[in-house]
């Protein structure tokens, strides 16, 4: 009887593992290409408009702009976190160089950094923030936008 129970347990374990790996593999496969289908919000920075995809879930934030070969000039990605914290980003599997703006709860840019494609260097907010905006590299500096600039149209109070 004990052999029968062990065999049942082994078969159950194998079936469970196949269910688990079966559900993980499609997600891993989906991460090989760019993330699609995220909602888009229109933001304002001075007289400039931004069309930012919004990454709200942990999975969306983890994938971010990975595996994209290009991004339109005024497009970006807004990362939204549940609570403020020191947010750190890297560029592993990100093919295009980006500028990153860490944004406070009121929509003001806290700090901006430049990130190189495929780099594992960390880029962190100068203080706890809930929002992070990634744009093509140089986007903020070309428009003379810097720390203290207030963004419009996002999830922060108007």
């Amino acid at each position: 009887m004990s052999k029968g129970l062990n065999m049942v347990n082994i078969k159950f374990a194998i079936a469970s593992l196949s269910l688990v790996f079966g559900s993980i593999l499609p997600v891993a496969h989906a991460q090989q290409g760019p993330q699609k289908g995220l909602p888009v919000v229109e933001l304002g920075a001075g007289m400039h408009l931004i069309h930012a995809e919004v990454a709200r879930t942990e999975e969306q934030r983890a994938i971010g702009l990975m595996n994209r070969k290009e991004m339109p000039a005024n497009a970006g990605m807004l990362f939204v976190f549940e609570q403020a914290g020191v947010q750190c980003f890297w560029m592993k599997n990100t093919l295009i160089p980006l500028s990153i703006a860490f944004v406070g709860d009121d929509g003001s840019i806290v700090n901006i950094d430049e990130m190189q494609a495929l780099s594992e260097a960390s880029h962190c907010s100068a203080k706890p923030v809930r929002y992070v905006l990634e744009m093509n590299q140089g986007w903020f500096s070309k428009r003379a936008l810097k720390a203290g600039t207030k963004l419009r149209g996002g999830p922060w109070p108007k």
Side-chain angles (χ1 to χ4, degrees):
M1 184 167 214
S2 117
K3 281 185 181 179
L5 284 177
N6 285 340
M7 188 57 78
V8 168
N9 289 342
I10 290 170
K11 287 180 180 177
F12 178 75
I14 291 170
S16 297
L17 286 174
S18 67
L19 284 173
V20 169
F21 287 116
S23 65
I24 290 173
L25 289 176
V27 172
H29 178 70
Q31 291 178 7
Q32 291 175 357
Q35 184 164 210
K36 296 183 183 191
L38 295 177
V40 175
V41 64
E42 189 174 274
L43 305 174
M47 64 181 197
H48 307 284
L49 288 180
I50 300 165
H51 298 279
E53 295 177 64
V54 181
R56 287 186 182 277
T57 69
E58 188 174 333
E59 181 182 5
Q60 291 168 343
R61 292 188 303 258
I63 298 169
L65 291 168
M66 287 181 180
N67 301 309
R68 299 208 186 182
K69 294 181 179 158
E70 60 187 10
M71 188 164 58
N74 291 318
M77 183 168 285
L78 179 66
F79 296 81
V80 179
F81 294 86
E82 289 80 19
Q83 52 189 289
V86 173
Q87 308 299 342
C88 294
F89 283 63
W90 67 346
M91 296 285 286
K92 186 174 182 177
N93 298 322
T94 305
L95 308 174
I96 53 176
L98 299 170
S99 292
I100 187 167
F102 299 95
V103 182
D105 280 348
D106 67 348
S108 295
I109 296 175
V110 171
N111 62 298
I112 298 171
D113 208 350
E114 302 298 320
M115 304 189 299
Q116 298 306 313
L118 303 173
S119 170
E120 292 187 22
S122 286
H123 302 270
C124 301
S125 59
K127 66 179 192 177
V129 297
R130 286 187 56 216
Y131 309 104
V132 178
L133 178 61
E134 289 182 340
M135 301 291 291
N136 284 309
Q137 191 172 67
W139 192 90
F140 298 100
S141 62
K142 288 176 187 170
R143 290 155 182 83
L145 302 172
K146 55 189 180 207
T149 299
K150 187 150 181 171
L151 302 177
R152 298 180 317 276
W156 38 84
K158 309 283 184 261

